[in-house]
Amino acid sequence: MYNLILFGPPGSGKGTQASLLVDKYDFLHISTGDMFREELSRNTPLGQEARSYMDAGHLVPDEVTIAMLRKRVDQHPDVTGIIFDGFPRTDPQAAELNELMQGRSSQINALILLDVDADTIVERILGRGATSGRADDLKEDVIRTRYENFVNYTSPVFDFYQNLGLAHRVDGTLTPEEVSREIDSIIGREMPAGQ
Ligand code: AP5
């Protein structure tokens, strides 16, 4: 099993790269943002709870996010690999993921940071705002709040994986194809033989 975390600020290209990876490697893609939006579209209590945080650009509380993630992972005991997109976003989420992987006699093999500056992010997200259907893509102040939350709460998670020797950094301002090639080369070096 090969488990990868795609990591980076909002709009850094996590979803774009996850789709390319799923095509190539047949991994399960778990995006906590997509899961919340799915709950929202079905108007579930979980979706309603998440909405106020998401619309303001804040993180949904850990206990809610972790319970949802754990359930999704448990639904897929036999996959060849998982791409985590947008999780973990806090130190408690990283600790929980570690425990979850141990419970599956597995581990996180790599975390890849897609490194993109704040101004590029604002430009990208405002550019897709009209068509994404996401309330959190429409206003620059909300996008900047999402970025600040990344810097304040999420970026320390990089250090957690760096201390384990699992963290990699890729220039996320390259073209999607170039970013994809960089990711492929990291996976190629890391993937256990036979997968
Ligand atoms: P989430 O859905 O995870 O959003 P995000 O992290 O803000 O990331 P995005 O989906 O906006 O961007 P992305 O990095 O996937 O980039 P994309 O490929 O789309 O989270 C939303 C909210 O849910 C959070 O704010 C929070 O409230 C909540 N949430 C989710 N997970 C949570 C958690 N674990 N804990 C607590 N709360 C949580 O690309 C962006 C744009 O750029 C696209 O238009 C794309 O075409 C373009 N693009 C992509 N790559 C390139 C490139 N290389 N060059 C040029 N353009 C590019």
Side-chain angles (χ1 to χ4, degrees):
M1 219 186 150
Y2 187 87
N3 301 304
L4 172 71
I5 298 169
L6 282 178
F7 191 77
S12 56
K14 302 182 293 294
T16 302
Q17 295 301 324
S19 301
L20 295 170
L21 284 170
V22 164
D23 289 346
K24 276 181 216 155
Y25 295 101
D26 195 28
F27 292 158
L28 174 68
H29 173 204
I30 297 183
S31 157
T32 40
D34 285 350
M35 290 171 73
F36 284 131
R37 282 185 288 276
E38 197 183 302
E39 297 284 340
L40 251 175
S41 71
R42 290 192 285 119
N43 208 21
T44 64
L46 174 57
Q48 288 306 317
E49 185 175 0
R51 179 196 291 268
S52 57
Y53 298 100
M54 294 173 79
D55 286 359
H58 295 305
L59 295 179
V60 178
D62 278 341
E63 61 274 19
V64 176
T65 309
I66 286 170
M68 180 181 74
L69 184 279
R70 186 176 265 284
K71 192 170 159 200
R72 177 61 60 93
V73 170
D74 287 346
Q75 283 166 346
H76 297 276
D78 297 321
V79 289
T80 55
I82 303 178
I83 301 163
F84 293 95
D85 161 3
F87 188 98
R89 258 171 150 111
T90 61
D91 285 336
Q93 291 183 16
E96 179 70 23
L97 184 57
N98 207 22
E99 201 178 289
L100 192 54
M101 289 293 109
Q102 279 174 7
R104 290 164 74 100
S105 303
S106 188
Q107 61 178 43
I108 294 297
N109 297 84
L111 171 146
I112 300 179
L113 165 65
L114 305 178
D115 206 0
V116 181
D117 58 280
D119 288 340
T120 304
I121 276 161
V122 171
E123 190 183 319
R124 277 188 192 176
I125 296 181
L126 283 176
R128 73 165 183 194
T131 51
S132 71
R134 288 175 53 170
D136 60 347
D137 280 357
L138 295 175
K139 293 190 192 139
E140 180 166 343
D141 61 325
V142 172
I143 298 168
R144 291 208 180 264
T145 299
R146 287 161 62 191
Y147 182 79
E148 280 160 23
N149 281 326
F150 174 79
V151 172
N152 293 332
Y153 302 110
T154 306
S155 60
V157 171
F158 183 86
D159 302 335
F160 177 91
Y161 288 95
Q162 193 166 39
N163 289 335
L164 296 172
L166 299 174
H168 305 263
R169 189 183 295 265
V170 168
D171 180 356
T173 64
L174 300 171
T175 66
E177 295 73 23
E178 287 168 331
V179 173
S180 175
R181 274 199 292 278
E182 296 274 327
I183 292 174
D184 271 344
S185 94
I186 293 166
I187 293 179
R189 289 199 301 269
E190 304 269 331
M191 179 119 44
Q195 282 199 34

